[in-house]
Amino acid sequence: MSTTTELLAQAEANPSHAEKAYKQILAQDPTAADAQALRDKETALVKLGELYRDQKNAQALAEVITLSRSFMSSTAKAKTAKLIRTLLDFFSAIPKSQAIQMNTLTDNIAWAKKEKRVFLKHSLETRLVGLQLDSQQYQPALTLIDNLLTELKRLDDKMILTEVHLLESRVYRGIGNLPKAKAALTSSRTAANSIYCPPALQASLDLQSGILHAEDKDYTTGYSYFFEAFENLSSQGDDGALDALKYMLLCKVMLNLPEDVTSLLTNKLAVKYAHLRDVESMRAIARAHQERNLADFEKALFDYKLELSSDPTIRSHLAALYDTLLEQNLLRIIEPYSVVEISHVASLVGQGQQAVEAKLSQMILDKVFHGVLDQGRGCLLVFDEPEADNTYGAAINTLEQVGKVVQSLYAKTVKIA
């Protein structure tokens, strides 16, 4: 039988037979192996995982992780955790592998619990929560988070506690519960303050802080958090830097400063992202907003549908921006008229008559302008802004003064009596 080292050398020399060689190494009994054979077996596991990653074979990769358990039983717990995380990371390069990855994690969590590998179990459960969040399985994620937090608080593991509270904040934000999202983020930052927080985790905290401030329409504070996250992530070459940059551009647009978008993209850190479609999509939105052009805005939404609609943060804020832009366009169109046909307004703004009618009705109720819809004639009657009538205010003020005089006279009467 060839030694593990010889088999590794054969795999390197002949890639077409590499899979067979790696499997031969893994089939050998680890209890009978020496230290070198154990190291070779670990290398074979990682190499086989890389092979299936490159082949986009998620099912085979899942089987490698299951196969690795016998080897893991004979190694240190810290090395086991690192090895299984390395193998799980390979799934990220395989498209549509989320379901298989979640099944693999669930299976390995049960194994880690049985083997009493608490640290590994918590690490795998944290990763599973992240996947549930990405696939919008919010309720199972919250259930798992509650169990995790109970165990982590007892163990006082601040690092994983920071990550889990951050995930909790993201889940609550996903279901629209902003007060709980903010509370979870505060808990995450509190835990992070008592440990050394890795740059990537700090950037994730800043990113979530920016998102929650943007939800509160505090785009100035949100921008500062996004900028911190962008600097941090871009210096590490992290893909998340692109998201932070897009959010920075979004804040500038929402602050009615679309002209700042171009100057922002001349920043030395931002230049390398300027040619990407994600950034181009935000530039198109900024242009349309600057020119108050609803047609260009809709064209940008259509042309960059994937880039703009796949991110829930950008999607929700652009919906609000679209509404504002539609309102501004309607005000500009109806301004010269005292009576105007709704069909004419709809044709000018490029929207359906029913949608325009509903929006005009909402604007009248919100007192954006004064008018009334004459649905019988299909017209909008626009009124001049009424002058404020101070008669009632003056009358109330007079009555208040009379009241003071009466009270004063009553007080003097009491004294005389």
Side-chain angles (χ1 to χ4, degrees):
M1 182 187 287
S2 301
T3 65
T4 53
T5 307
E6 288 171 349
L7 286 167
L8 276 178
Q10 288 173 21
E12 289 289 331
N14 192 350
S16 61
H17 291 86
E19 183 179 356
K20 182 181 177 182
Y22 294 142
K23 285 185 174 178
Q24 275 184 263
I25 296 170
L26 296 175
Q28 294 188 13
D29 185 4
T31 56
D34 57 17
Q36 181 59 46
L38 282 171
R39 284 195 293 273
D40 290 341
K41 194 158 191 173
E42 182 182 346
T43 303
L45 270 172
V46 175
K47 291 286 186 183
L48 189 58
E50 288 175 348
L51 187 69
Y52 290 138
R53 176 199 65 192
D54 296 340
Q55 292 175 356
K56 311 294 183 190
N57 191 339
Q59 189 57 55
L61 179 56
E63 288 167 9
V64 170
I65 294 171
T66 305
L67 192 67
S68 67
R69 288 180 191 164
S70 59
F71 167 72
M72 290 177 186
S73 301
S74 59
T75 58
K77 290 184 178 180
K79 183 176 278 191
T80 300
K82 184 181 177 183
L83 179 59
I84 200 166
R85 279 200 301 270
T86 301
L87 291 170
L88 285 166
D89 285 340
F90 293 154
F91 276 110
S92 60
I94 304 175
K96 298 179 181 177
S97 63
Q98 210 168 46
I100 292 174
Q101 191 177 353
M102 289 170 78
N103 289 335
T104 305
L105 279 168
T106 305
D107 188 34
N108 281 281
I109 287 166
W111 174 79
K113 189 175 181 180
K114 182 184 172 185
E115 293 285 315
K116 294 184 170 56
R117 299 195 173 212
V118 178
F119 177 78
L120 177 61
K121 173 180 167 288
H122 290 160
S123 177
L124 295 176
E125 284 178 334
T126 303
R127 189 182 284 258
L128 180 57
V129 169
L131 284 172
Q132 288 172 333
L133 172 64
D134 292 340
S135 56
Q136 299 183 355
Q137 297 178 25
Y138 298 126
Q139 203 50 55
L142 282 175
T143 303
L144 190 50
I145 284 169
D146 287 341
N147 295 334
L148 256 173
L149 289 175
T150 304
E151 293 179 27
L152 291 170
K153 284 172 183 174
R154 191 167 60 244
L155 294 170
D156 200 32
D157 189 336
K158 291 285 197 293
M159 181 63 76
I160 299 186
L161 201 59
T162 301
E163 292 180 32
V164 174
H165 274 307
L166 177 58
L167 285 168
E168 183 186 23
S169 177
R170 292 175 61 199
V171 170
Y172 276 124
R173 187 251 170 182
I175 60 177
N177 192 331
L178 291 183
K180 284 194 174 182
K182 290 174 188 174
L185 182 62
T186 302
S187 299
S188 184
R189 284 196 173 278
T190 303
N193 286 339
S194 59
I195 55 167
Y196 165 72
C197 190
L201 183 55
Q202 182 60 54
S204 297
L205 287 168
D206 288 337
L207 207 59
Q208 182 67 3
S209 297
I211 288 170
L212 293 182
H213 275 95
E215 291 284 356
D216 281 341
K217 313 299 181 195
D218 184 1
Y219 296 109
T220 304
T221 308
Y223 177 85
S224 64
Y225 275 114
F226 291 140
F227 186 75
E228 288 289 330
F230 174 65
E231 279 196 323
N232 196 334
L233 292 168
S234 59
S235 63
Q236 299 172 58
D238 194 299
D239 292 341
L242 180 58
D243 286 333
L245 178 60
K246 283 167 67 179
Y247 296 154
M248 285 165 62
L249 300 176
L250 176 69
C251 285
K252 287 295 185 185
V253 173
M254 299 306 290
L255 284 166
N256 288 322
L257 298 170
E259 62 279 0
D260 286 3
V261 167
T262 305
S263 59
L264 188 60
L265 291 172
T266 59
N267 180 296
K268 64 179 181 180
L269 290 175
V271 166
K272 64 179 177 181
Y273 302 100
H275 65 284
L276 298 176
R277 273 186 65 83
D278 291 84
V279 175
E280 280 294 335
S281 67
M282 294 309 299
R283 193 185 273 131
I285 289 292
R287 257 195 316 268
H289 180 58
Q290 189 171 7
E291 294 168 9
R292 302 270 190 266
N293 193 318
L294 194 64
D296 284 354
F297 191 89
E298 288 182 325
K299 186 176 185 300
L301 290 177
F302 180 78
D303 291 345
Y304 299 98
K305 186 176 180 180
L306 180 64
E307 290 79 10
L308 295 173
S309 64
S310 59
D311 189 315
T313 300
I314 289 176
R315 188 170 63 240
S316 65
H317 289 290
L318 288 186
L321 185 63
Y322 177 83
D323 204 49
T324 303
L325 204 54
L326 175 59
E327 195 170 284
Q328 289 172 347
N329 272 256
L330 287 172
L331 282 173
R332 192 185 70 225
I333 289 166
I334 67 175
E335 190 177 13
Y337 299 99
S338 57
V339 181
V340 59
E341 289 185 350
I342 297 169
S343 58
H344 177 63
V345 176
S347 65
L348 288 176
V349 86
Q351 299 290 309
Q353 184 170 334
Q354 195 172 355
V356 168
E357 196 172 304
K359 183 62 184 172
L360 288 169
S361 176
Q362 181 195 329
M363 289 166 70
I364 291 169
L365 290 172
D366 291 343
K367 292 184 167 50
V368 176
F369 73 95
H370 298 276
V372 66
L373 287 169
D374 185 342
Q375 289 179 311
R377 290 193 297 161
C379 292
L380 170 70
L381 309 180
V382 185
F383 305 144
D384 292 332
E385 189 170 343
E387 292 182 11
D389 189 346
N390 294 323
T391 306
Y392 291 113
I396 289 170
N397 188 44
T398 303
L399 288 170
E400 284 177 354
Q401 299 305 321
V402 170
K404 288 177 185 177
V405 170
V406 171
Q407 285 177 353
S408 175
L409 290 171
Y410 177 74
K412 287 178 180 178
T413 306
V414 171
K415 284 181 182 179
I416 293 168

